[in-house]
Amino acid sequence: PSSSPRHDDLKEMLDSNKDSLKLEAMKRIVAMIARGKNASDLFPAVVKNVACKNIEVKKLVYVYLVRYAEEQQDLALLSISTFQRGLKDPNQLIRASALRVLSSIRVTIIVPIMMLAIKEAASDMSPYVRKTAAHAIPKLYSLDPEQKDCLIEVIEKLLADKTTLVAGSVVMAFEEVCPERIDLIHKNYRKLCNLLIDVEEWGQVVIINMLTRYARTQFLNPNMNVSIAEEKEKKKTEATAIVKRKPYVMDPDHRLLLRNTKPLLQSRNAAVVMAVAQLYFHLAPKAEVGVIAKALVRLMRSHSEVQYVVLQNVATMSIKRRGMFEPYLKSFYIRSTDPTQIKVLKLEVLTNLANETNISTILREFQTYIKSNDKDFVAATIQAIGRCATNIGEVRDTCLNGLVQLLSNRDELVVAESVVVIKKLLQMQPEQHSDIIKHMAKLTDNIQVPMARASILWLIGEYCEHVPKIAPDVLRKMAKTFTNEEDIVKLQIINLAAKLYLTNSKQTKLLTQYVLNLAKYDQNYDIRDRARFIRQLIVPTDKSGALSKYAKKLFLALKPAPVLESPFKDRDHFQLGSLSHLLNAKAGGYQVLPDWPEAAPDPSVRNVEVKESVPEWTKCSSREKRKEKKADKPFYSDSEGESGPTESADSDTASGSESGSGSEESGSGSESEESNEDSESASEEDEEEEGKKKKKNVEKIKARKPVPESERYDSQPNTIASVQVFDTICKPAWLYMQFLLNPPLPVSVPQTIVPSGNLKTYELLHRITGEGLSVEYCFSRQPFSPDPHMVAVKIQFTNSATSEAKSLHVEDAKLQSGMRIKEFPEIEVLPAGETVSVVMGIDFCDSTQAANFQLCTHTRKFFVSIQPPVGELMMPIFMTENEFKKEQGQLMGMNEITEKLTLEEKCQGEHAVVQRVTTAANLSRVPCGSDKECRFAGKTVTSGSLVLVSVVTKEDGAAQLTVNCEKMVIGTMLVKDILQALTQ
């Protein structure tokens, strides 16, 4: 329901000032979600409590947000700035939860924000947060695969992490994003082997599967000497021709992997045991593989829920490694309580393990199984008896006689399956078993199963010379019932008639013609075609072709005996335990198990120089400096999330005890001081001024009265920024609200910095595609007079055709929600060889989404799109130095992005910096007292959101770019464009 009294109660509890009521409400809401009830209408009430001081409430709020982040993307985007503040929370659980929520929002426009958040989290002092960053990597990759290179850098960084909590997660990210980059594993191989025993069970499975494939590419086959010896035994005469190889010596790193995974066979987790078993099967020497048999049998007995998967793997292993499971033969005996699929797999294993020694025991078991009421299981048992008879010649007669006895069974399905298996066995020695063929011929009156009847007819036709008296009589009976038989039986009747015609035409000539005449008018075209073909082949006429001479060779040729093989044969080329192995087909996302290399790759790639690694969060010159830094930087409200990595060392205890008296307004001031203090380019004079400002701010905060939490949430400046992010994407109705909450700054003299000659021109329509009409456009950077909230786009038409173009206009604009377009006046006629320019307005709604529309002439319509660079979504504003500093001080913290860069020689001058920044973005220059700093200001055209840019240069070419923006999405994209402009 959209609203109910119960939900109203929850909203009241969430709006109260008591943490106990909020906690109770969140528990009830999470319980509702767990029961499958919709709680999305509570989103506004829940999201307010992200800033709650109570950690338990915060945790449950983030659980709620993760649930609705992907489903309710619009609502989640509304609170994106809140999640960003959560990334700086002193509590590691909150930081991780905030990143989890952020990575659950599946909207491409926040990809840069997610990328920054993952990079920061990868350097977090908390292993739990770094683990969450690893989990977020595949989510970002699936959302935007173009981020692969950046994500690989993060993965490489996290692979070097020495904590067991992170190892499994980053290997999983590696498998999802870049499994082909095996070079990333070299330096971390030994570390992963040594950490394996302490990693959580889920991580152990992932790491073992990855290391299995790694080892197959880096080490030699440990069984190469065994295979060479077998080859010599098979080809003793050609032994001299076999290339002699060096004696095999196992690589120490190969041995390290086998040694460190062996103890995990005792794990309580079934998946871990299975992973180690497949690793040993694929990598271990033949003499050592046996250690996994006992573990698998124990696993099969103790975990009934994983029996099916275990038996799948055992069935594959028992084909090539039969000896290792023979001591546990009785463990695979079938119980009456086993499900059918388990019974069939156990039958498969028993059949694979059968040999001359144990076959008598296994056949006695099979005799018991045949009496089962499970018909599918009985059919599988009969097939297993046939396979045993095929593989072990000593018991072939015994099996055949046992199957013949089953022909008198009351159950028709048992008889039918027996007939099919007997047919395959008789093909091996038909001359010795003519009595069995006669006995089966008599069953044609009773057996009604089509496959069984067809098998009997095939046998009689194939070996008709062994039963010359019975075969014609069988054909006579079949001819009577021909029209009522199934298609598969009809085809075998025709084959039988043809074979008898060729071997005994005196008795069967008329019968054969009768059968062929019946088949000639059958409803099935396959039967009609077969009859026509056989008539021309066996009854030669003047029109018969050359094939009729070879009719006997075609029909009476010796057929090779069928080979009854296990369905699990050759499945071991798939990695055991994988979905592909289970299906016996390559599944999506499956990583192929590599073949062993011919020559051992260089083992030195795994050597690591031992260095004293210092985590980034501890990189400070001395303990005293860190203490001074901590003393200078008290945070005033932990809901603001200003504490950097150094403060979060005591995160678990700090979160609930900090003073909450400071309002959000004063929080922005504290953000500015901390951000400036982190900047390496600040001079000593600036630091003294900042110290004075800090004291003033602290005095203001102490003197200010506490503000109720609900009011404090509503008055957050970042909430407006989050509304603007939401507005960027889909809600034009928010524009008016945002204008009321955040009126644009006063504009004195808007200045257009870049002359029109320097404007970049883009192609809208090529003259070949446009049939002689070419169209280019540029962003004129002039105010669009009909609507100041639109970007002015200058469009130039050139008619290169020989005829004039008429009625040039825009139609069928397909725009993202919130975007608008002001069409240019229709151009009635454009003569050949002429050029004309027009201006149209587009409200991009502060986003870089493309505006799609049709460009029409009097004869054609062309689909085109205009996509703006982020710098063209702005207009310059005039600002004094003091105004710039004041506004910059209010846009710190999560509204500020700082990047360090190195300028090229041609770009180190002040003039070059100004030219490149203003070319990348439509901003105006702000006066500055220092010649080492360039400042720029502007606002977005649609919403009037403030954009401030500062570039501080040094003598050695190093520089620092700072962008302060009310809309973080705009700021993130702007940083990227300016960095590209300054470094090219």
Side-chain angles (χ1 to χ4, degrees), residues 506-530:
K506 290 182 181 180
Q507 285 184 289
T508 58
K509 182 176 181 180
L510 294 175
L511 269 176
T512 302
Q513 289 179 353
Y514 175 71
V515 169
L516 292 175
N517 286 333
L518 289 175
K520 182 178 180 181
Y521 300 103
D522 196 88
Q523 291 182 352
N524 189 302
Y525 59 82
D526 282 338
I527 295 171
R528 297 197 301 269
D529 291 348
R530 179 73 62 89

Tab-separated table of all heavy atoms in Angstrom, residues 506-530:
chain	number	residue	atom	x	y	z
A	506	LYS	N	13.347	-65.111	-53.114
A	506	LYS	CA	12.281	-66.030	-53.503
A	506	LYS	C	11.118	-65.980	-52.520
A	506	LYS	O	9.952	-65.986	-52.905
A	506	LYS	CB	12.835	-67.456	-53.585
A	506	LYS	CG	13.779	-67.677	-54.755
A	506	LYS	CD	14.255	-69.121	-54.792
A	506	LYS	CE	15.222	-69.331	-55.960
A	506	LYS	NZ	15.705	-70.739	-56.016
A	507	GLN	N	11.440	-65.966	-51.231
A	507	GLN	CA	10.391	-65.992	-50.220
A	507	GLN	C	9.819	-64.605	-49.920
A	507	GLN	O	8.675	-64.492	-49.499
A	507	GLN	CB	10.932	-66.595	-48.906
A	507	GLN	CG	11.100	-68.092	-48.935
A	507	GLN	CD	11.539	-68.627	-47.581
A	507	GLN	OE1	12.661	-68.411	-47.161
A	507	GLN	NE2	10.640	-69.332	-46.905
A	508	THR	N	10.586	-63.584	-50.123
A	508	THR	CA	10.189	-62.261	-49.620
A	508	THR	C	9.951	-61.219	-50.699
A	508	THR	O	9.687	-60.051	-50.374
A	508	THR	CB	11.289	-61.741	-48.665
A	508	THR	OG1	12.528	-61.679	-49.371
A	508	THR	CG2	11.421	-62.629	-47.450
A	509	LYS	N	10.027	-61.601	-51.979
A	509	LYS	CA	9.891	-60.612	-53.044
A	509	LYS	C	8.536	-59.922	-53.001
A	509	LYS	O	8.437	-58.682	-53.015
A	509	LYS	CB	10.106	-61.285	-54.405
A	509	LYS	CG	10.036	-60.319	-55.589
A	509	LYS	CD	10.355	-61.029	-56.886
A	509	LYS	CE	10.319	-60.051	-58.059
A	509	LYS	NZ	10.632	-60.718	-59.352
A	510	LEU	N	7.468	-60.683	-52.908
A	510	LEU	CA	6.130	-60.104	-52.900
A	510	LEU	C	5.872	-59.307	-51.621
A	510	LEU	O	5.247	-58.245	-51.645
A	510	LEU	CB	5.082	-61.220	-53.067
A	510	LEU	CG	5.105	-61.941	-54.415
A	510	LEU	CD1	4.111	-63.092	-54.425
A	510	LEU	CD2	4.781	-60.964	-55.540
A	511	LEU	N	6.369	-59.847	-50.503
A	511	LEU	CA	6.208	-59.128	-49.227
A	511	LEU	C	6.889	-57.763	-49.283
A	511	LEU	O	6.359	-56.762	-48.804
A	511	LEU	CB	6.807	-59.962	-48.084
A	511	LEU	CG	5.873	-60.933	-47.357
A	511	LEU	CD1	6.657	-61.744	-46.338
A	511	LEU	CD2	4.731	-60.182	-46.686
A	512	THR	N	8.081	-57.777	-49.871
A	512	THR	CA	8.826	-56.511	-49.951
A	512	THR	C	8.082	-55.500	-50.808
A	512	THR	O	7.962	-54.310	-50.435
A	512	THR	CB	10.227	-56.756	-50.534
A	512	THR	OG1	10.917	-57.688	-49.719
A	512	THR	CG2	11.020	-55.463	-50.608
A	513	GLN	N	7.563	-55.943	-51.944
A	513	GLN	CA	6.809	-55.019	-52.806
A	513	GLN	C	5.563	-54.497	-52.102
A	513	GLN	O	5.208	-53.318	-52.219
A	513	GLN	CB	6.428	-55.742	-54.112
A	513	GLN	CG	7.605	-56.012	-55.035
A	513	GLN	CD	7.189	-56.739	-56.295
A	513	GLN	OE1	6.037	-57.161	-56.417
A	513	GLN	NE2	8.123	-56.872	-57.227
A	514	TYR	N	4.925	-55.373	-51.327
A	514	TYR	CA	3.725	-54.962	-50.587
A	514	TYR	C	4.074	-53.881	-49.556
A	514	TYR	O	3.395	-52.853	-49.436
A	514	TYR	CB	3.110	-56.191	-49.911
A	514	TYR	CG	1.929	-55.863	-49.025
A	514	TYR	CD1	0.709	-55.455	-49.572
A	514	TYR	CD2	2.022	-55.965	-47.639
A	514	TYR	CE1	-0.371	-55.158	-48.760
A	514	TYR	CE2	0.951	-55.661	-46.828
A	514	TYR	CZ	-0.251	-55.255	-47.382
A	514	TYR	OH	-1.319	-54.944	-46.570
A	515	VAL	N	5.149	-54.110	-48.828
A	515	VAL	CA	5.578	-53.132	-47.801
A	515	VAL	C	5.954	-51.800	-48.453
A	515	VAL	O	5.593	-50.713	-47.965
A	515	VAL	CB	6.752	-53.693	-46.979
A	515	VAL	CG1	7.374	-52.593	-46.119
A	515	VAL	CG2	6.296	-54.857	-46.120
A	516	LEU	N	6.674	-51.862	-49.575
A	516	LEU	CA	7.089	-50.628	-50.250
A	516	LEU	C	5.888	-49.859	-50.812
A	516	LEU	O	5.870	-48.625	-50.813
A	516	LEU	CB	8.077	-50.946	-51.376
A	516	LEU	CG	9.447	-51.465	-50.929
A	516	LEU	CD1	10.299	-51.853	-52.131
A	516	LEU	CD2	10.175	-50.407	-50.095
A	517	ASN	N	4.862	-50.612	-51.261
A	517	ASN	CA	3.652	-49.943	-51.759
A	517	ASN	C	2.899	-49.245	-50.620
A	517	ASN	O	2.369	-48.145	-50.785
A	517	ASN	CB	2.730	-50.952	-52.455
A	517	ASN	CG	3.262	-51.353	-53.816
A	517	ASN	OD1	3.977	-50.575	-54.448
A	517	ASN	ND2	2.934	-52.557	-54.270
A	518	LEU	N	2.854	-49.917	-49.448
A	518	LEU	CA	2.229	-49.270	-48.285
A	518	LEU	C	2.991	-47.995	-47.896
A	518	LEU	O	2.396	-46.965	-47.581
A	518	LEU	CB	2.194	-50.238	-47.100
A	518	LEU	CG	1.220	-51.413	-47.179
A	518	LEU	CD1	1.410	-52.331	-45.971
A	518	LEU	CD2	-0.219	-50.906	-47.221
A	519	ALA	N	4.318	-48.098	-47.896
A	519	ALA	CA	5.144	-46.945	-47.498
A	519	ALA	C	5.042	-45.812	-48.511
A	519	ALA	O	5.196	-44.636	-48.169
A	519	ALA	CB	6.600	-47.376	-47.351
A	520	LYS	N	4.762	-46.159	-49.766
A	520	LYS	CA	4.683	-45.143	-50.824
A	520	LYS	C	3.600	-44.122	-50.546
A	520	LYS	O	3.716	-42.943	-50.927
A	520	LYS	CB	4.433	-45.845	-52.159
A	520	LYS	CG	4.379	-44.925	-53.373
A	520	LYS	CD	4.171	-45.727	-54.650
A	520	LYS	CE	4.108	-44.809	-55.863
A	520	LYS	NZ	3.888	-45.581	-57.109
A	521	TYR	N	2.542	-44.551	-49.855
A	521	TYR	CA	1.414	-43.657	-49.583
A	521	TYR	C	1.302	-43.291	-48.094
A	521	TYR	O	0.238	-42.893	-47.635
A	521	TYR	CB	0.106	-44.326	-50.056
A	521	TYR	CG	0.107	-44.628	-51.526
A	521	TYR	CD1	0.319	-45.927	-51.985
A	521	TYR	CD2	-0.081	-43.611	-52.462
A	521	TYR	CE1	0.340	-46.206	-53.340
A	521	TYR	CE2	-0.066	-43.889	-53.824
A	521	TYR	CZ	0.146	-45.180	-54.251
A	521	TYR	OH	0.180	-45.453	-55.580
A	522	ASP	N	2.396	-43.471	-47.365
A	522	ASP	CA	2.369	-43.129	-45.939
A	522	ASP	C	2.290	-41.615	-45.756
A	522	ASP	O	2.729	-40.836	-46.621
A	522	ASP	CB	3.623	-43.673	-45.247
A	522	ASP	CG	3.477	-43.694	-43.750
A	522	ASP	OD1	2.971	-44.697	-43.224
A	522	ASP	OD2	3.870	-42.693	-43.106
A	523	GLN	N	1.758	-41.186	-44.612
A	523	GLN	CA	1.612	-39.750	-44.352
A	523	GLN	C	2.956	-39.075	-44.063
A	523	GLN	O	3.104	-37.880	-44.276
A	523	GLN	CB	0.667	-39.524	-43.161
A	523	GLN	CG	-0.780	-39.901	-43.475
A	523	GLN	CD	-1.700	-39.616	-42.298
A	523	GLN	OE1	-1.243	-39.284	-41.221
A	523	GLN	NE2	-2.990	-39.742	-42.525
A	524	ASN	N	3.913	-39.828	-43.574
A	524	ASN	CA	5.223	-39.262	-43.227
A	524	ASN	C	6.113	-39.216	-44.467
A	524	ASN	O	6.351	-40.247	-45.103
A	524	ASN	CB	5.874	-40.112	-42.127
A	524	ASN	CG	7.126	-39.455	-41.575
A	524	ASN	OD1	8.059	-39.183	-42.319
A	524	ASN	ND2	7.145	-39.216	-40.288
A	525	TYR	N	6.627	-38.038	-44.801
A	525	TYR	CA	7.416	-37.915	-46.022
A	525	TYR	C	8.760	-38.625	-45.903
A	525	TYR	O	9.341	-39.048	-46.914
A	525	TYR	CB	7.603	-36.444	-46.413
A	525	TYR	CG	8.290	-35.592	-45.390
A	525	TYR	CD1	9.672	-35.574	-45.283
A	525	TYR	CD2	7.555	-34.791	-44.518
A	525	TYR	CE1	10.305	-34.779	-44.349
A	525	TYR	CE2	8.180	-34.003	-43.576
A	525	TYR	CZ	9.561	-33.992	-43.485
A	525	TYR	OH	10.179	-33.211	-42.564
A	526	ASP	N	9.294	-38.787	-44.683
A	526	ASP	CA	10.547	-39.535	-44.524
A	526	ASP	C	10.359	-40.986	-44.959
A	526	ASP	O	11.229	-41.586	-45.622
A	526	ASP	CB	11.007	-39.498	-43.072
A	526	ASP	CG	11.664	-38.175	-42.721
A	526	ASP	OD1	12.116	-37.493	-43.658
A	526	ASP	OD2	11.722	-37.838	-41.538
A	527	ILE	N	9.221	-41.560	-44.580
A	527	ILE	CA	8.949	-42.957	-44.940
A	527	ILE	C	8.705	-43.083	-46.440
A	527	ILE	O	9.187	-44.019	-47.091
A	527	ILE	CB	7.742	-43.470	-44.125
A	527	ILE	CG1	8.126	-43.496	-42.636
A	527	ILE	CG2	7.306	-44.853	-44.593
A	527	ILE	CD1	6.982	-43.776	-41.714
A	528	ARG	N	7.986	-42.142	-47.020
A	528	ARG	CA	7.762	-42.164	-48.467
A	528	ARG	C	9.088	-42.064	-49.223
A	528	ARG	O	9.334	-42.798	-50.184
A	528	ARG	CB	6.839	-41.011	-48.886
A	528	ARG	CG	5.442	-41.101	-48.297
A	528	ARG	CD	4.469	-40.198	-49.062
A	528	ARG	NE	4.875	-38.794	-49.055
A	528	ARG	CZ	4.507	-37.914	-48.147
A	528	ARG	NH1	3.729	-38.297	-47.125
A	528	ARG	NH2	4.886	-36.648	-48.223
A	529	ASP	N	9.962	-41.136	-48.791
A	529	ASP	CA	11.258	-40.974	-49.464
A	529	ASP	C	12.123	-42.220	-49.322
A	529	ASP	O	12.804	-42.640	-50.263
A	529	ASP	CB	11.991	-39.757	-48.883
A	529	ASP	CG	11.323	-38.451	-49.263
A	529	ASP	OD1	10.455	-38.477	-50.148
A	529	ASP	OD2	11.659	-37.406	-48.664
A	530	ARG	N	12.107	-42.801	-48.104
A	530	ARG	CA	12.918	-44.012	-47.887
A	530	ARG	C	12.446	-45.143	-48.804
A	530	ARG	O	13.257	-45.869	-49.392
A	530	ARG	CB	12.820	-44.431	-46.420
A	530	ARG	CG	13.600	-45.687	-46.062
A	530	ARG	CD	15.097	-45.429	-46.028
A	530	ARG	NE	15.422	-44.467	-45.018
A	530	ARG	CZ	15.702	-44.784	-43.729
A	530	ARG	NH1	15.676	-46.046	-43.361
A	530	ARG	NH2	16.008	-43.834	-42.869
